[in-house]
């Protein structure tokens, strides 16, 4: 209401410059009136011979030079006219400046009203104790009120969920401090929870007790969307984790089936071929040659099947554990790429990390080594695996290859798959690279305590069985 009244007064003041033409007309009329009175005085003085009469009256006072007074009065009249003209010009200039200032004030008032009343953020001025004295419609909406006038006289403490927090904010602002809160919990008039970004500032001159200036930005919808997004990401992460575990179980099952069924069949074929070769030795050279070919072919097929099984499910991971499995993987990769200096480093207790962490670390190292062969053109590779703290394991693969621009668009899915695997276990994957500067991929994975305890109990149980 106060802002509305001030706007009306300012608007009336801004309308004053429109009356300038009327004032100029009044000045012309007044000048014509003065000229008319002067002419009339001259005519009357001429008709009644005022000068002669005045000379007769002042003749006895000749010693006192009274007869010189008309000339003095004439000079005085001219001087006063000049003085009045100077004052009139000065007043006109002052009036012009005042009208310009009033017009500028009206424009600033209009801008201020637009910024204050049309702002999407809540804006309010309150007394030292937090009683609202002025607010914009956005603040009223945040507080659950229909009109800004309904907020006048209300205390901000009524809308704080934590009254102690309000007292701290008020005390800090009264001391002249700026209070900024990233997320502040409020409760609207109807009880609806509201989340805002808040700023509380001292308002007013320092000579007297300052009031409060409050800014609120409503982020309730954004907070709700963030919560929904976090829930969706959590569900997607859980789904991805389940999918990867099902995939690994299927790979393990397929590898076992290939080992049990196809491996036995190949061994049987090889044994039969060896028997045929022994029986046809020196009697049927052609049959012996065919039997040798069958033995060689079955051995080749078995090697191929063994490689497929190794890619489906690394047997070393189940039999040797994570450390030895990764060491074996790096060693095999080094033998296939002798021109590259590849070394494996580890520290900490790497046992009891759990099935999910073990297979994720192994696949990450496997994928990184594959990418180095395909793209890096590196001469030096370092693989590190460290148990940095209780409940955390870090794996790092670094090469001195040609690197790449991480901002460039990539068509491959290797890094995407690695990130999905790591984030499915609530881990963190970091990529560091630049053109010509090599690539470093590091991942930090949390180790579930239950998995560690379960693995330890499992090892103890296995030891008891052996005893």
């Amino acid at each position: 209401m106060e802002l509305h009244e001030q706007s009306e007064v300012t608007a009336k003041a801004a309308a004053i410059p429109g009356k300038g033409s009327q004032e100029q007309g009044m000045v012309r009329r007044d000048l014509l009136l003065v000229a008319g009175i002067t002419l009339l005085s001259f005519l009357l003085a001429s008709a009644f011979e005022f000068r002669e009469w005045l000379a007769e009256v002042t003749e006895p006072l000749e010693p006192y030079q009274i007869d010189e007074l008309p000339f003095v009065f004439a000079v005085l009249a001219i001087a006063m006219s000049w003085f009045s003209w100077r004052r009139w010009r000065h007043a006109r200039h002052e009036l012009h400046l005042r009208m310009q200032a009033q017009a500028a004030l009206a424009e600033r008032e209009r801008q201020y009203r637009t910024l204050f009343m049309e702002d999407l953020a809540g804006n309010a001025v309150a007394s030292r104790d937090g009683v609202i004295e002025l607010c914009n419609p956005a603040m009223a909406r945040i507080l659950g009120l229909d009109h800004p006038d309904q907020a006048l006289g209300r205390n901000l403490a009524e809308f704080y969920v934590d009254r102690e927090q309000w007292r701290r904010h008020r005390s800090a602002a009264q001391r002249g401090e700026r209070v900024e809160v990233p997320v502040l919990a409020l409760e609207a008039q109807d009880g609806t929870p509201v989340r805002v970004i808040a700023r509380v500032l001292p308002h007013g001159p320092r000579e007297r007790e300052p009031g409060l200036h409050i800014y609120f930005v409503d982020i309730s919808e954004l907070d709700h969307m963030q919560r929904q997004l976090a829930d969706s990401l959590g569900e997607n992460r859980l789904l991805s984790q389940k999918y990867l575990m099902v995939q690994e179980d299927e790979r393990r099952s397929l590898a076992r089936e290939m080992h049990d069924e196809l491996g036995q069949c190949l061994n049987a074929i090889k044994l039969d071929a060896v028997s045929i070769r022994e029986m046809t030795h020196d009697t049927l050279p052609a049959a012996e040659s065919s039997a040798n070919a069958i033995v060689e072919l079955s051995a080749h097929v078995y090697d191929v099947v063994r490689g497929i099984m190794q890619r489906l499910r690394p047997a070393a991971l189940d039999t040797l554990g994570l450390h030895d499995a990764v060491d074996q993987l790096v060693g095999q990769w080094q033998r296939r790429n002798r021109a590259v200096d590849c070394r494996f480093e580890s520290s900490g207790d790497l046992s009891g990390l759990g099935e999910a962490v073990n297979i994720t670390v192994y696949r990450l190292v496997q994928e990184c080594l594959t990418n180095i062969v395909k793209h890096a053109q590196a001469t030096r590779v370092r693989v590190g695996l460290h148990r940095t703290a209780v409940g955390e394991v870090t794996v790092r693969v670094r090469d001195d290859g040609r690197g790449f621009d991480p901002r460039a668009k990539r068509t491959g899915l290797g890094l995407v798959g690695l990130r999905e695997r790591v984030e499915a276990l609530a881990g963190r994957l970091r990529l560091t690279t630049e053109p010509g500067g090599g690539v470093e991929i590091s991942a930090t994975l949390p180790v579930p305590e239950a998995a560690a305890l379960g693995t330890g109990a499992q090892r103890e149980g296995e030891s008891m069985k052996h005893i």
Side-chain angles (χ1 to χ4, degrees), residues 82-131:
W82 176 82
F83 179 79
S84 300
W85 176 75
R86 291 278 295 178
R87 299 287 72 76
W88 171 76
R89 288 196 61 182
H90 179 73
R92 183 181 179 183
H93 180 67
E94 290 291 336
L95 180 61
H96 179 68
L97 293 178
R98 179 170 296 183
M99 289 189 296
Q100 286 183 337
Q102 288 175 341
L105 179 62
E107 178 63 20
R108 294 295 297 273
E109 176 69 20
R110 186 189 64 81
Q111 296 175 355
Y112 165 75
R113 180 178 177 84
T114 301
L115 290 175
F116 187 82
M117 301 302 292
E118 303 300 332
D119 193 0
L120 296 178
N123 204 331
V125 176
S127 66
R128 178 180 176 84
D129 296 328
V131 178

Side-chain angles (χ1 to χ4, degrees), residues 374-393:
K374 290 182 178 179
H375 310 291
Q377 300 178 1
T379 61
R380 184 172 179 270
V381 178
R382 293 293 181 267
V383 179
L385 183 59
H386 308 280
R387 182 74 174 268
T388 58
V390 177
E392 190 173 80
V393 62

Side-chain angles (χ1 to χ4, degrees), residues 336-364:
R336 292 193 302 269
N337 303 273
R338 297 184 180 277
V340 182
D341 178 20
C342 183
R343 298 182 184 180
F344 172 59
E345 303 172 351
S346 65
S347 63
D349 183 12
L350 297 176
S351 60
L353 301 181
E355 170 66 18
V357 174
N358 285 343
I359 192 63
T360 298
V361 170
Y362 188 89
R363 295 299 186 193
L364 189 145

Side-chain angles (χ1 to χ4, degrees), residues 339-450:
V340 182
D341 178 20
C342 183
R343 298 182 184 180
F344 172 59
E345 303 172 351
S346 65
S347 63
D349 183 12
L350 297 176
S351 60
L353 301 181
E355 170 66 18
V357 174
N358 285 343
I359 192 63
T360 298
V361 170
Y362 188 89
R363 295 299 186 193
L364 189 145
V365 175
Q366 187 180 45
E367 181 67 22
C368 289
L369 294 177
T370 302
N371 289 337
I372 291 173
V373 172
K374 290 182 178 179
H375 310 291
Q377 300 178 1
T379 61
R380 184 172 179 270
V381 178
R382 293 293 181 267
V383 179
L385 183 59
H386 308 280
R387 182 74 174 268
T388 58
V390 177
E392 190 173 80
V393 62
T394 298
V395 56
R396 182 179 293 106
V397 181
R398 185 175 68 255
D399 67 72
D400 63 348
R402 60 183 182 177
F404 59 90
D405 186 359
R407 296 170 296 182
K409 184 177 181 180
R410 298 185 296 271
T411 57
L413 299 178
L415 289 176
V416 176
L418 292 180
R419 191 175 299 277
E420 287 291 333
R421 280 183 175 273
V422 172
E423 292 183 352
L425 298 179
R428 304 182 303 276
L429 181 72
R430 187 179 66 179
L431 170 67
T432 305
T433 181
E434 61 181 12
V439 178
E440 178 177 331
I441 295 178
S442 62
T444 302
L445 298 170
V447 180
E449 294 296 333

Side-chain angles (χ1 to χ4, degrees), residues 27 32 83 132 234 322 355 410 412:
V27 171
L32 290 174
F83 179 79
I132 299 176
L322 178 61
E355 170 66 18
R410 298 185 296 271

Side-chain angles (χ1 to χ4, degrees), residues 13-39:
I16 292 178
K19 298 182 180 181
S21 58
Q22 298 179 4
E23 294 179 354
Q24 292 179 0
M26 293 176 60
V27 171
R28 294 191 187 95
R29 288 194 298 270
D30 292 344
L31 290 175
L32 290 174
L33 179 60
V34 171
I37 293 174
T38 304
L39 181 60

